[in-house]
Amino acid sequence: MADVVTMDKIVSLSRRRGFVFPSSEIYGGLASAYDYGHYGVLLKENVKARWFEAMVRERDDIVALDSSIILHPKVWEASGHVEGFHDPLVDCRTCKLRFRADQLEHSRCGRKPSKHPGETDECDLTEPRHFNLMFKTRIGPVEETGMDAYLRPETAQGIFINFKNVAQIARRKPPFGIAQIGKAFRNEVTTGHFIFRTLEFEQMEMEYFVPPAEAEEWFRYWVEERFRWYVRLGLRESHLRVRPHGPDELSHYSRQTSDIEYLYPIGWSELEGIAHRGDYDLTAHSRTSGTKLEWVDGEERYTPHVVEPAAGVNRSMLAFMVDAYDEEEVAGRLRVVLRLHPALAPVKVAVLPLIPRNAEIATKARALYEELRRSVVAEYDDSGQIGRRYRRQDEIGTPWALTIDEQTLVDDTVTIRDRDSLAQERIPISAARAVVEDRLAADWTSPKAD
Ligand code: GAP
């Protein structure tokens, strides 16, 4: 069956079920800014938790960091961002819109959205000009004596400037990594692809410091490792690919980069970048700060090279939602279902009393819910017809629903319904928590066709 998903359907579901709202809506909205509602927060937290598990908790060679968003302005001079972090932009004198010069084919003309900028006779585009992507702010309450500063456009620099602290205090020897999850900000000119590209977003970055001779090997290792992470979390391999950057695409710091791309409804686009940054950053900060950022151990002394897997939380969340979105007809009605990996699903299990006004059923259901929520995110829903309640859970991707009915009062069993197969099974109520926990820990692959 053809994939039914479109960006509009994801936007509509996100809004309908409170995953993501347009930001500042009561003031007319703010382009390229979004707010995350309850299920969006839960899904986003799960993406971050799975990354942290794979990158830090399950490894001995990577430690965590949480650095400031506002760093000393010299950091960005040293890193090359003041000089080199910009987009080429063109303005249209007719429709007054601004476009990225390198992405005109993905943009829509302000007057005739069916055309790209520059395609109609009326379009009057300026020559490309370079605009720095960093948001500027000012430190200090007095305008005249304050200091210009930037909101970080990547979390990576906070890691580089802490290299010495971590190498000495955490007593790490290359190869070792420092991982960080946090907000980053870019003054992007965007083309409205929902949360794919926004002004404010979260990154999950890891800088892996290695002996220079091993950098190539580690680069290949991390491309493979990160690709597998997405597959393990259920993204269909047919919708993922690795695309090496050509020499003219490389960022100012990079010797080699490969993007992991996902087939979004807008086409193949970057989900994560893995870069071989060489000794660019440590050398630059050593030079500018006067503090040598090197590895020293007895006679051994060198500047480590860096391999960096840099992922976006919001873009990952979007890919997981897109990949999971499905529609099917069940008993003559459309069922919208998010077939999310259970480890990512915002709610793991729903407890549904079949006849809520039956006090005995309600009491049993409530007790089961209280027990389940001690170990997993659970939801109790007693409003409306049971079919409706199932649909509500399907739409937010809840993998299992437990229904308590009159039979429960006879033999203490409940029905467990599987979101994907729709299979229903009776299990003892006393085993329900263990069954949910076991299923949650099991491997999972998407039932969606390639
Ligand atoms: N430290 C390297 C770095 O920042 P990047 O490719 O510019 O590399 C890494 O960013 C990831 O951050 C991207 O693959 C993407 O997932 C995410 N990202 C970058 N800009 C973004 C934006 N404006 N909105 C949402 N996510 C973004």
Side-chain angles (χ1 to χ4, degrees):
M1 191 175 64
D3 220 341
V4 292
V5 65
T6 63
M7 200 64 111
D8 284 347
K9 287 183 183 177
I10 296 294
V11 173
S12 153
L13 172 69
S14 295
R15 192 195 174 92
R16 191 165 72 242
R17 300 312 316 275
F19 281 85
V20 181
F21 306 112
S23 187
S24 313
E25 218 179 358
I26 61 169
Y27 289 100
L30 178 67
S32 306
Y34 291 90
D35 298 339
Y36 290 75
H38 183 66
Y39 296 128
V41 171
L42 291 175
L43 176 53
K44 206 148 60 83
E45 288 304 310
N46 289 340
V47 170
K48 289 192 270 185
R50 300 292 82 80
W51 186 87
F52 196 79
E53 226 163 60
M55 301 298 273
V56 180
R57 270 183 41 207
E58 292 172 356
R59 300 184 66 108
D60 296 322
D61 55 348
I62 302 179
V63 295
L65 181 79
D66 184 8
S67 70
S68 295
I69 285 175
I70 298 175
L71 301 172
H72 195 291
K74 282 223 154 60
V75 169
W76 306 109
E77 285 171 29
S79 69
H81 282 80
V82 171
E83 191 59 38
F85 193 54
H86 33 60
D87 275 346
L89 302 181
V90 295
D91 290 295
C92 177
R93 297 184 189 93
T94 312
C95 69
K96 311 288 182 220
L97 289 182
R98 181 167 282 178
F99 306 98
R100 269 179 66 162
D102 55 345
Q103 291 191 358
L104 290 181
E105 71 280 12
H106 299 303
S107 310
R108 288 177 182 180
C109 166
R111 293 207 155 182
K112 214 157 186 240
S114 60
K115 302 255 180 195
H116 303 303
E119 278 184 2
T120 76
D121 291 342
E122 289 173 38
C123 296
D124 183 9
L125 302 183
T126 61
E127 285 301 305
R129 285 181 294 169
H130 285 293
F131 282 89
N132 197 290
L133 289 172
M134 285 195 293
F135 276 105
K136 240 187 192 164
T137 185
R138 232 172 136 65
I139 301 174
V142 182
E143 184 65 23
E144 299 76 50
T145 57
M147 175 164 78
D148 275 342
Y150 301 97
L151 303 186
R152 66 181 178 199
E154 61 170 12
T155 61
Q157 297 303 324
I159 296 179
F160 296 128
I161 59 174
N162 276 292
F163 171 77
K164 207 172 159 199
N165 288 337
V166 176
Q168 281 178 354
I169 290 163
R171 292 188 298 117
R172 300 287 157 168
K173 179 179 165 45
F176 77 91
I178 306 177
Q180 162 155 248
I181 300 176
K183 288 237 166 166
F185 304 82
R186 294 185 191 175
N187 207 346
E188 305 264 16
V189 169
T190 69
T191 46
H193 294 317
F194 194 37
I195 56 172
F196 180 81
R197 194 186 302 281
T198 46
L199 302 174
E200 179 182 335
F201 53 99
E202 283 176 281
Q203 289 188 314
M204 307 180 282
E205 297 201 291
M206 195 278 290
E207 308 303 318
Y208 203 67
F209 301 95
V210 303
E214 296 176 18
E216 286 281 334
E217 194 185 320
W218 281 112
F219 176 75
R220 286 193 296 275
Y221 168 87
W222 280 111
V223 172
E224 174 73 13
E225 193 66 15
R226 293 302 305 147
F227 188 91
R228 290 280 133 217
W229 183 79
Y230 291 104
V231 174
R232 275 202 307 278
L233 284 174
L235 289 193
R236 289 163 298 165
E237 227 173 305
S238 57
H239 286 55
L240 282 168
R241 72 179 186 192
V242 174
R243 189 183 67 79
H245 279 207
D248 53 336
E249 280 183 271
L250 290 175
S251 305
H252 61 273
Y253 50 73
S254 173
R255 295 181 178 203
Q256 194 180 351
T257 295
S258 280
D259 285 345
I260 297 176
E261 294 189 332
Y262 179 74
L263 186 54
Y264 291 93
I266 54 174
W268 287 102
S269 309
E270 177 187 346
L271 179 54
E272 166 160 355
I274 295 100
H276 173 354
R277 296 179 77 127
D279 61 357
Y280 179 91
D281 305 272
L282 292 184
T283 303
H285 289 302
S286 298
R287 197 170 45 236
T288 310
S289 69
T291 300
K292 276 216 167 323
L293 302 176
E294 308 176 310
W295 170 252
V296 185
D297 187 15
E299 292 295 289
E300 202 185 10
R301 171 187 288 267
Y302 61 87
T303 305
H305 281 200
V306 171
V307 176
E308 172 198 69
V313 176
N314 319 70
R315 251 182 225 189
S316 300
M317 170 174 157
L318 180 60
F320 287 124
M321 287 184 84
V322 164
D323 212 70
Y325 184 95
D326 208 359
E327 292 173 354
E328 63 181 5
E329 207 178 290
V330 178
R333 288 188 51 209
L334 180 73
R335 180 171 94 110
V336 172
V337 52
L338 274 191
R339 302 189 192 279
L340 287 167
H341 190 298
L344 292 175
V347 176
K348 309 301 181 203
V349 60
V351 177
L352 315 174
L354 188 66
I355 313 164
R357 59 177 188 283
N358 178 321
E360 265 187 284
I361 288 182
T363 307
K364 282 219 181 252
R366 198 84 215 171
L368 178 60
Y369 167 63
E370 293 299 340
E371 189 195 341
L372 288 165
R373 75 195 297 202
R374 291 215 295 268
S375 59
V376 295
V377 177
E379 207 163 86
Y380 185 85
D381 187 357
D382 61 1
S383 73
Q385 290 170 345
I386 191 73
R388 279 246 176 106
R389 286 186 260 165
Y390 283 142
R391 298 298 163 97
R392 280 205 287 267
Q393 296 300 331
D394 289 341
E395 266 197 337
I396 61 165
T398 308
W400 305 291
L402 295 170
T403 307
I404 290 79
D405 54 17
E406 283 163 316
Q407 183 71 25
T408 313
L409 305 181
V410 176
D411 61 6
D412 264 335
T413 60
V414 294
T415 304
I416 183 163
R417 170 193 184 263
D418 185 274
R419 173 198 71 197
D420 296 325
S421 65
L422 295 178
Q424 304 207 11
E425 223 182 302
R426 280 205 92 86
I427 56 168
I429 199 166
S430 56
R433 180 166 164 184
V435 168
V436 169
E437 285 171 359
D438 284 354
R439 290 190 182 187
L440 194 52
D443 286 342
W444 185 91
T445 44
S446 172
K448 273 181 77 174
D450 275 353

